[in-house]
Amino acid sequence: DESGKAHIGYSGWGSDNGVRYATNASGSWTTGTVYSGYTYGAMSVALDGAGKASMSYIVWDGSASSYRLKYAINASGTWTAETAGSEAGYDTSLALDEAGKAHISYTKNDSVIMYVTNASGTWTTQTLDSVEGGWFDNTSLAVDNGGNTHISYSGWHSDTGSYVLGYVTNASGTWTTETIDIDEAWSTSLALDGNGNAHVSCGSWDETMNSYSLTYVTNESGIWTTESVDNFSYVDSPSVALDTSGNAYISYLSNYTLMHAGNAGGSWTA
């Protein structure tokens, strides 16, 4: 948050499965339960202007035999949740706009990219992309200073026989989708700079190096450019963030080791 305090969402394991929230905002670490029950896939945390946390996550609804997208807030001091989407798949990503309204991307049945928001006062849902004979493995959503939504996502396309990196935004007033030219992309993370330019990290297969790669992609110059940040080991769960000068920093797992890379010095160091 603006005070430099951490806010973390996570799930338990086995009989302790559920949605948990941890923060050190008070000066020491406190934890709480947001949802008790079976959860599935990634969850996401966002803060409003007052520093209050919101979370999106996926639960199993046994009565409907379906996964549900849930949205929870603790603005009152206790967690309250509502259903924001149905037939949810593996992944969810949440951001709040300046008015505190939620913008969430998720995969429906693992083969459709969905977008849901309560910006109008009620939940509305849109389909942004779909694939037959393939799947999407994750999405990453951010909202720019103008309230426009940007989403990066990755998945397997059977027509090309490879993983692809996609990007969709409504910054022009209508939704536009791009496929970024990158080899075998997976596990994407998105951050926006002050001008609304995209900065994306992902794992990929580097055909030139014949190795796995942590890859950084941006359209800051007006076209998509790609850089290899780290090679030679399998990359998973990258997360990208920017400082106030627009320098990029990426945390990621490499062969089960937590790594960090940054380009503040003008070139990437890991």
Side-chain angles (χ1 to χ4, degrees):
D1 59 26
E2 293 184 354
S3 300
K5 301 298 184 179
H7 302 259
I8 304 170
Y10 64 101
S11 62
W13 182 259
S15 61
D16 194 36
N17 190 272
V19 178
R20 310 285 189 263
Y21 168 72
T23 180
N24 62 353
S26 66
S28 59
W29 285 101
T30 60
T31 61
T33 298
V34 181
Y35 170 80
S36 297
Y38 183 77
T39 60
Y40 183 67
M43 58 197 65
S44 188
V45 180
L47 304 179
D48 64 18
K52 298 295 185 178
S54 298
M55 293 186 67
S56 61
Y57 54 93
I58 295 167
V59 304
W60 174 252
D61 184 348
S63 63
S65 297
S66 175
Y67 291 101
R68 302 294 190 194
L69 173 67
K70 291 287 188 176
Y71 176 68
I73 61 174
N74 71 350
S76 65
T78 59
W79 287 98
T80 59
E82 58 185 312
T83 298
S86 61
E87 298 178 354
Y90 183 75
D91 182 74
T92 173
S93 182
L94 165 69
L96 303 181
D97 60 28
E98 291 186 353
K101 298 299 185 179
H103 302 259
I104 306 171
S105 59
Y106 68 102
T107 58
K108 178 180 177 181
N109 298 329
D110 294 331
S111 60
V112 183
I113 299 294
M114 303 296 295
Y115 166 70
V116 59
T117 181
N118 62 357
S120 66
T122 60
W123 290 105
T124 59
T125 304
Q126 291 179 269
T127 298
L128 300 183
D129 199 358
S130 62
V131 60
E132 294 185 8
W135 65 87
F136 295 112
D137 63 359
N138 88 307
T139 68
S140 184
L141 182 148
V143 177
D144 65 28
N145 294 334
N148 305 302
T149 303
H150 305 250
I151 304 169
S152 64
Y153 56 96
S154 56
W156 174 264
H157 280 205
S158 59
D159 55 348
T160 61
S162 65
Y163 286 93
V164 298
L165 179 63
Y167 180 76
V168 58
T169 180
N170 63 357
S172 66
T174 59
W175 289 102
T176 58
T177 303
E178 298 178 75
T179 298
I180 302 170
D181 186 15
I182 188 173
D183 296 325
E184 302 284 326
W186 64 85
S187 194
T188 175
S189 174
L190 167 68
L192 301 176
D193 60 30
N195 295 317
N197 299 311
H199 301 258
V200 181
S201 64
C202 66
S204 70
W205 177 257
D206 191 323
E207 295 285 357
T208 302
M209 299 290 293
N210 195 33
S211 67
Y212 294 111
S213 173
L214 171 65
T215 300
Y216 167 75
V217 185
T218 182
N219 62 358
E220 187 175 17
S221 67
I223 60 173
W224 291 105
T225 59
T226 302
E227 294 180 72
S228 180
V229 177
D230 192 7
N231 288 101
F232 307 117
S233 58
Y234 184 77
V235 172
D236 199 9
S237 304
S239 181
V240 63
L242 306 177
D243 64 20
T244 54
S245 298
N247 301 305
Y249 303 85
I250 305 172
S251 64
Y252 59 104
L253 292 175
S254 176
N255 287 343
Y256 305 102
T257 300
L258 181 61
M259 302 287 290
H260 174 267
N263 65 358
S267 59
W268 287 99
T269 57

